[in-house]
Amino acid sequence: MNESELVDRARQGDQSAFGELVRQHQDAVFRAALAALGSAEDAEEIAQDAFVAAYSNLDGFREEASFRTWVVAIAWRRALTRRRRLAYQVRRLVQWTDWNWNMLPGGEPSSEAQLAGAELGERVQRLIQALPPKLRDALVMTIGTDSNYREVAGILDIPVGTLKWRVSEARRQIKAKLSRLGYRDD
Amino acid sequence: MTDEHDPETTRSQIDGAVDEAVRRVVTDPAPATLRARVMARLAERRDRSAAASGGLSWSLRSAVATAVLVLAVATWGLLRAPGDQEDSIATQRAEAESGTAVATGADVAAPAPDAAAPLPVDIDPVASAPVTVAELAVPDAIVLDSIGGLEALEIPEIRIARNVALDMAPLTIETMTLTPLGGRH
């Protein structure tokens, strides 16, 4: 059953059809929320909210974009709303240094190269977090999700050209800071 | 990112590190429980919606009952000719004087209403219950069933009915219907 048929059946109240849509797109929705919030716990909550909202508003889904892009956009907007809340920002500031560091490469370092690579990765992660939100969002959403520029631009509600510039600028800023830290782009 | 990467992006070590770092941040799969939790929330919403629908039906029934009562009272007020009121008062006075009136509680000792005095609107139910009940053209069952929904209404007849029902516990439906509108049983 293709996506359009699943959406039609879900519109008619078939929750199992909607469950299949959730199964197919939950990773993309979760990752978009995670990209915006940086907290897996918050991202899961936002992802749930987004799917529930999507189910409630299926009649408003005009299929101009894919269901995936539509529901990811819902999650993204909700995540941004949460990110803008003052209380959330204060909490994030407190937790800033712990932001996803558990995702850094783990395991036994077997060579200096691995150590150097892990160190570079950690530095890059910190620099990504230090980017202005607009640049960070563009970079993380573009690289971190399986979406093309057009889809990401639609989700972020910006022109494709603006998205490309932001991704490029994010990379440039990271490279410049790494250069000052002694890393050379060979 | 798929097929639309910026062609000007150089594939340097740092670019690779940036891409890798980003992927490490956001490419975790969704928690295994996500789908189950979404479906549970949808089921919960469906249950709440069903419960709310049932509640609405109850509210609707209550509203209909109240509307019927108000309509009946209003109709009675419109149809009741002034002559009927005089006849009713005269009838009650005659009944009181002849000892045939339905008497309950304080009404046993209550004096006969003064024919010259106007019919009181917010009449004291204890002192004048037979008059108010007799002139109430609303089915008593509806009155009693709807008492709870009439608190905010200021229609005199309903207020009287409420007072009778609430303040005069010994007054039963049978007593109230002994003297319905238009005559006695």
Side-chain angles (χ1 to χ4, degrees):
Chain A
M1 190 179 301
N2 63 33
E3 181 174 288
S4 183
E5 290 170 334
L6 287 172
V7 169
D8 282 343
R9 292 185 63 168
R11 277 195 181 114
Q12 294 163 12
D14 184 346
Q15 291 203 353
S16 65
F18 189 76
E20 177 60 19
L21 289 169
V22 174
R23 189 191 65 76
Q24 290 179 8
H25 304 299
Q26 59 183 353
D27 285 348
V29 172
F30 173 75
R31 287 168 181 166
L34 185 59
L37 298 173
S39 158
E41 183 182 350
D42 291 338
E44 182 183 1
E45 186 180 332
I46 290 294
Q48 287 182 34
D49 291 346
F51 278 118
V52 171
Y55 183 79
S56 302
N57 294 284
L58 273 175
D59 288 339
F61 173 49
R62 296 186 296 275
E63 302 191 46
E64 293 169 349
S66 68
F67 177 82
R68 177 173 174 277
T69 299
W70 183 63
V71 72
V72 166
I74 292 174
W76 180 257
R77 286 194 297 270
R78 286 172 174 259
L80 286 191
T81 299
R82 174 168 297 196
R83 194 169 75 180
R84 291 190 190 105
R85 290 179 188 160
L86 181 61
Y88 188 80
Q89 292 187 14
V90 169
R91 182 156 61 91
R92 285 300 312 281
L93 281 174
V94 173
Q95 299 174 341
W96 190 253
T97 55
D98 296 328
W99 198 86
N100 274 312
W101 289 159
N102 59 332
M103 295 182 181
L104 288 171
E108 294 289 328
S110 58
S111 67
E112 288 187 4
Q114 281 186 319
L115 270 177
E119 182 184 89
L120 175 60
E122 183 174 351
R123 287 186 184 278
V124 170
Q125 279 200 323
R126 290 181 183 275
L127 293 174
I128 291 171
Q129 293 313 306
L131 286 170
K134 287 182 178 179
L135 299 185
R136 186 176 65 234
D137 290 345
L139 181 70
V140 172
M141 284 292 287
T142 302
I143 300 175
T145 64
D146 295 325
S147 305
N148 57 39
Y149 273 123
R150 184 178 55 80
E151 290 172 330
V152 174
I155 292 168
L156 300 183
D157 197 22
I158 57 176
V160 172
T162 301
L163 173 64
K164 288 183 176 180
W165 180 86
R166 287 181 183 177
V167 172
S168 175
E169 178 64 13
R171 287 182 184 279
R172 190 194 66 75
Q173 289 191 14
I174 291 172
K175 284 182 183 178
K177 289 176 181 175
L178 285 175
S179 178
R180 286 199 291 273
L181 291 171
Y183 288 93
R184 297 175 61 181
D185 197 5
D186 298 326
Chain B
M1 194 66 200
T2 53
D3 57 339
E4 292 189 35
H5 262 306
D6 188 343
E8 296 180 358
T9 300
T10 56
R11 289 297 165 197
S12 66
Q13 182 185 0
I14 288 180
D15 281 321
V18 170
D19 288 2
E20 180 63 20
V22 170
R23 291 194 183 100
R24 286 185 184 281
V25 172
V26 296
T27 54
D28 259 14
T33 55
L34 176 57
R35 180 176 176 275
R37 288 180 177 171
V38 169
M39 301 315 290
R41 285 179 59 175
L42 291 180
E44 185 182 338
R45 282 167 55 98
R46 185 183 56 205
D47 293 343
R48 278 206 309 266
S49 177
S53 177
L56 181 63
S57 296
W58 185 89
S59 300
L60 195 59
R61 286 196 298 271
S62 177
V64 169
T66 302
V68 167
L69 172 62
V70 171
L71 185 61
V73 169
T75 303
W76 167 73
L78 289 173
L79 295 179
R80 188 165 170 268
D84 294 340
Q85 295 185 31
E86 295 171 3
D87 291 345
S88 177
I89 294 171
T91 300
Q92 301 229 9
R93 187 194 308 116
E95 287 175 344
E97 290 173 352
S98 65
T100 58
V102 176
T104 59
D107 298 311
V108 173
D114 183 356
L119 184 66
V121 175
D122 197 2
I123 195 167
D124 181 350
V126 175
S128 311
V131 175
T132 59
V133 172
E135 308 225 346
L136 189 66
V138 179
D140 300 308
I142 291 181
V143 173
L144 293 177
D145 285 346
S146 306
I147 288 299
L150 300 176
E151 296 296 329
L153 298 178
E154 290 301 321
I155 300 174
E157 290 79 7
I158 293 178
R159 191 160 61 243
I160 292 167
R162 182 191 60 197
N163 290 343
V164 169
L166 296 182
D167 296 340
M168 294 190 65
L171 192 65
T172 63
I173 290 180
E174 289 74 19
T175 307
M176 292 172 70
T177 55
L178 282 176
T179 314
L181 179 67
R184 293 186 297 169
H185 280 284

